[in-house]
PDB file of all heavy atoms in Angstrom:
ATOM      1  N   LEU A 139     171.401  51.807 129.562  1.00 96.00           N
ATOM      2  CA  LEU A 139     170.250  51.293 130.302  1.00 96.00           C
ATOM      3  C   LEU A 139     170.687  50.656 131.617  1.00 96.00           C
ATOM      4  O   LEU A 139     170.033  50.823 132.651  1.00 96.00           O
ATOM      5  CB  LEU A 139     169.489  50.276 129.442  1.00 96.00           C
ATOM      6  CG  LEU A 139     168.756  50.838 128.229  1.00 96.00           C
ATOM      7  CD1 LEU A 139     168.198  49.708 127.373  1.00 96.00           C
ATOM      8  CD2 LEU A 139     167.624  51.767 128.672  1.00 96.00           C
ATOM      9  N   ALA A 140     171.802  49.914 131.597  1.00 96.00           N
ATOM     10  CA  ALA A 140     172.305  49.311 132.827  1.00 96.00           C
ATOM     11  C   ALA A 140     172.732  50.379 133.823  1.00 96.00           C
ATOM     12  O   ALA A 140     172.473  50.267 135.031  1.00 96.00           O
ATOM     13  CB  ALA A 140     173.480  48.380 132.503  1.00 96.00           C
ATOM     14  N   ALA A 141     173.395  51.435 133.335  1.00 96.00           N
ATOM     15  CA  ALA A 141     173.805  52.521 134.229  1.00 96.00           C
ATOM     16  C   ALA A 141     172.599  53.236 134.820  1.00 96.00           C
ATOM     17  O   ALA A 141     172.592  53.591 136.009  1.00 96.00           O
ATOM     18  CB  ALA A 141     174.688  53.509 133.461  1.00 96.00           C
ATOM     19  N   LEU A 142     171.557  53.440 134.012  1.00 95.00           N
ATOM     20  CA  LEU A 142     170.355  54.101 134.512  1.00 95.00           C
ATOM     21  C   LEU A 142     169.654  53.260 135.572  1.00 95.00           C
ATOM     22  O   LEU A 142     169.169  53.789 136.577  1.00 95.00           O
ATOM     23  CB  LEU A 142     169.405  54.388 133.342  1.00 95.00           C
ATOM     24  CG  LEU A 142     169.834  55.496 132.384  1.00 95.00           C
ATOM     25  CD1 LEU A 142     168.865  55.583 131.205  1.00 95.00           C
ATOM     26  CD2 LEU A 142     169.894  56.835 133.108  1.00 95.00           C
ATOM     27  N   GLU A 143     169.592  51.948 135.363  1.00 95.00           N
ATOM     28  CA  GLU A 143     168.953  51.096 136.361  1.00 95.00           C
ATOM     29  C   GLU A 143     169.712  51.138 137.682  1.00 95.00           C
ATOM     30  O   GLU A 143     169.115  51.233 138.763  1.00 95.00           O
ATOM     31  CB  GLU A 143     168.861  49.662 135.863  1.00 95.00           C
ATOM     32  CG  GLU A 143     168.157  48.740 136.849  1.00 95.00           C
ATOM     33  CD  GLU A 143     168.275  47.272 136.492  1.00 95.00           C
ATOM     34  OE1 GLU A 143     169.137  46.935 135.664  1.00 95.00           O
ATOM     35  OE2 GLU A 143     167.517  46.459 137.052  1.00 95.00           O
ATOM     36  N   SER A 144     171.030  51.071 137.614  1.00 94.00           N
ATOM     37  CA  SER A 144     171.831  51.100 138.835  1.00 94.00           C
ATOM     38  C   SER A 144     171.657  52.419 139.571  1.00 94.00           C
ATOM     39  O   SER A 144     171.505  52.446 140.798  1.00 94.00           O
ATOM     40  CB  SER A 144     173.306  50.879 138.484  1.00 94.00           C
ATOM     41  OG  SER A 144     174.102  50.935 139.641  1.00 94.00           O
ATOM     42  N   ALA A 145     171.665  53.533 138.830  1.00 93.00           N
ATOM     43  CA  ALA A 145     171.493  54.834 139.469  1.00 93.00           C
ATOM     44  C   ALA A 145     170.075  55.004 140.006  1.00 93.00           C
ATOM     45  O   ALA A 145     169.874  55.626 141.057  1.00 93.00           O
ATOM     46  CB  ALA A 145     171.819  55.940 138.471  1.00 93.00           C
ATOM     47  N   ARG A 146     169.101  54.444 139.312  1.00 93.00           N
ATOM     48  CA  ARG A 146     167.716  54.578 139.762  1.00 93.00           C
ATOM     49  C   ARG A 146     167.477  53.823 141.060  1.00 93.00           C
ATOM     50  O   ARG A 146     166.791  54.312 141.957  1.00 93.00           O
ATOM     51  CB  ARG A 146     166.785  54.064 138.665  1.00 93.00           C
ATOM     52  CG  ARG A 146     165.321  53.970 139.064  1.00 93.00           C
ATOM     53  CD  ARG A 146     164.470  53.588 137.864  1.00 93.00           C
ATOM     54  NE  ARG A 146     164.921  52.368 137.242  1.00 93.00           N
ATOM     55  CZ  ARG A 146     164.562  51.144 137.645  1.00 93.00           C
ATOM     56  NH1 ARG A 146     163.748  50.996 138.688  1.00 93.00           N
ATOM     57  NH2 ARG A 146     165.002  50.073 137.000  1.00 93.00           N
ATOM     58  N   LEU A 147     168.049  52.639 141.189  1.00 91.00           N
ATOM     59  CA  LEU A 147     167.844  51.856 142.404  1.00 91.00           C
ATOM     60  C   LEU A 147     168.627  52.446 143.575  1.00 91.00           C
ATOM     61  O   LEU A 147     168.071  52.704 144.637  1.00 91.00           O
ATOM     62  CB  LEU A 147     168.276  50.412 142.156  1.00 91.00           C
ATOM     63  CG  LEU A 147     167.406  49.611 141.210  1.00 91.00           C
ATOM     64  CD1 LEU A 147     168.031  48.257 140.939  1.00 91.00           C
ATOM     65  CD2 LEU A 147     166.008  49.433 141.778  1.00 91.00           C
ATOM     66  N   ASP A 148     169.945  52.636 143.382  1.00 90.00           N
ATOM     67  CA  ASP A 148     170.807  53.215 144.411  1.00 90.00           C
ATOM     68  C   ASP A 148     170.570  52.539 145.770  1.00 90.00           C
ATOM     69  O   ASP A 148     170.369  53.201 146.796  1.00 90.00           O
ATOM     70  CB  ASP A 148     170.579  54.721 144.519  1.00 90.00           C
ATOM     71  CG  ASP A 148     171.695  55.408 145.289  1.00 90.00           C
ATOM     72  OD1 ASP A 148     172.804  54.843 145.363  1.00 90.00           O
ATOM     73  OD2 ASP A 148     171.455  56.499 145.846  1.00 90.00           O
ATOM     74  N   THR A 149     170.586  51.213 145.779  1.00 94.00           N
ATOM     75  CA  THR A 149     170.325  50.457 147.001  1.00 94.00           C
ATOM     76  C   THR A 149     171.473  50.648 147.993  1.00 94.00           C
ATOM     77  O   THR A 149     172.647  50.543 147.629  1.00 94.00           O
ATOM     78  CB  THR A 149     170.180  48.960 146.679  1.00 94.00           C
ATOM     79  OG1 THR A 149     169.121  48.801 145.723  1.00 94.00           O
ATOM     80  CG2 THR A 149     169.860  48.165 147.925  1.00 94.00           C
ATOM     81  N   ILE A 150     171.130  50.938 149.235  1.00 95.00           N
ATOM     82  CA  ILE A 150     172.124  51.050 150.303  1.00 95.00           C
ATOM     83  C   ILE A 150     172.307  49.672 150.915  1.00 95.00           C
ATOM     84  O   ILE A 150     171.367  49.095 151.474  1.00 95.00           O
ATOM     85  CB  ILE A 150     171.674  52.058 151.376  1.00 95.00           C
ATOM     86  CG1 ILE A 150     171.553  53.454 150.768  1.00 95.00           C
ATOM     87  CG2 ILE A 150     172.658  52.062 152.548  1.00 95.00           C
ATOM     88  CD1 ILE A 150     171.047  54.495 151.739  1.00 95.00           C
ATOM     89  N   ILE A 151     173.514  49.124 150.821  1.00 96.00           N
ATOM     90  CA  ILE A 151     173.834  47.819 151.395  1.00 96.00           C
ATOM     91  C   ILE A 151     174.598  48.036 152.690  1.00 96.00           C
ATOM     92  O   ILE A 151     175.535  48.827 152.752  1.00 96.00           O
ATOM     93  CB  ILE A 151     174.656  46.970 150.415  1.00 96.00           C
ATOM     94  CG1 ILE A 151     173.844  46.719 149.130  1.00 96.00           C
ATOM     95  CG2 ILE A 151     175.065  45.655 151.043  1.00 96.00           C
ATOM     96  CD1 ILE A 151     174.555  45.852 148.115  1.00 96.00           C
ATOM     97  N   LEU A 152     174.181  47.338 153.722  1.00 95.00           N
ATOM     98  CA  LEU A 152     174.828  47.443 155.025  1.00 95.00           C
ATOM     99  C   LEU A 152     176.303  47.094 154.895  1.00 95.00           C
ATOM    100  O   LEU A 152     176.667  46.146 154.190  1.00 95.00           O
ATOM    101  CB  LEU A 152     174.136  46.510 156.017  1.00 95.00           C
ATOM    102  CG  LEU A 152     174.559  46.606 157.478  1.00 95.00           C
ATOM    103  CD1 LEU A 152     174.176  47.950 158.068  1.00 95.00           C
ATOM    104  CD2 LEU A 152     173.918  45.477 158.281  1.00 95.00           C
ATOM    105  N   ASP A 153     177.148  47.860 155.608  1.00 91.00           N
ATOM    106  CA  ASP A 153     178.589  47.679 155.423  1.00 91.00           C
ATOM    107  C   ASP A 153     179.170  46.575 156.281  1.00 91.00           C
ATOM    108  O   ASP A 153     180.152  45.927 155.885  1.00 91.00           O
ATOM    109  CB  ASP A 153     179.316  48.988 155.717  1.00 91.00           C
ATOM    110  CG  ASP A 153     179.016  49.506 157.109  1.00 91.00           C
ATOM    111  OD1 ASP A 153     177.912  50.051 157.308  1.00 91.00           O
ATOM    112  OD2 ASP A 153     179.863  49.361 158.003  1.00 91.00           O
ATOM    113  N   ALA A 154     178.640  46.301 157.480  1.00 90.00           N
ATOM    114  CA  ALA A 154     179.219  45.309 158.378  1.00 90.00           C
ATOM    115  C   ALA A 154     178.128  44.738 159.269  1.00 90.00           C
ATOM    116  O   ALA A 154     177.094  45.377 159.493  1.00 90.00           O
ATOM    117  CB  ALA A 154     180.327  45.929 159.234  1.00 90.00           C
TER     118      ALA A 154
END
Side-chain angles (χ1 to χ4, degrees):
L139 291 173
L142 288 175
E143 182 190 16
S144 179
R146 172 174 55 85
L147 291 174
D148 195 22
T149 302
I150 297 177
I151 299 182
L152 187 66
D153 57 284

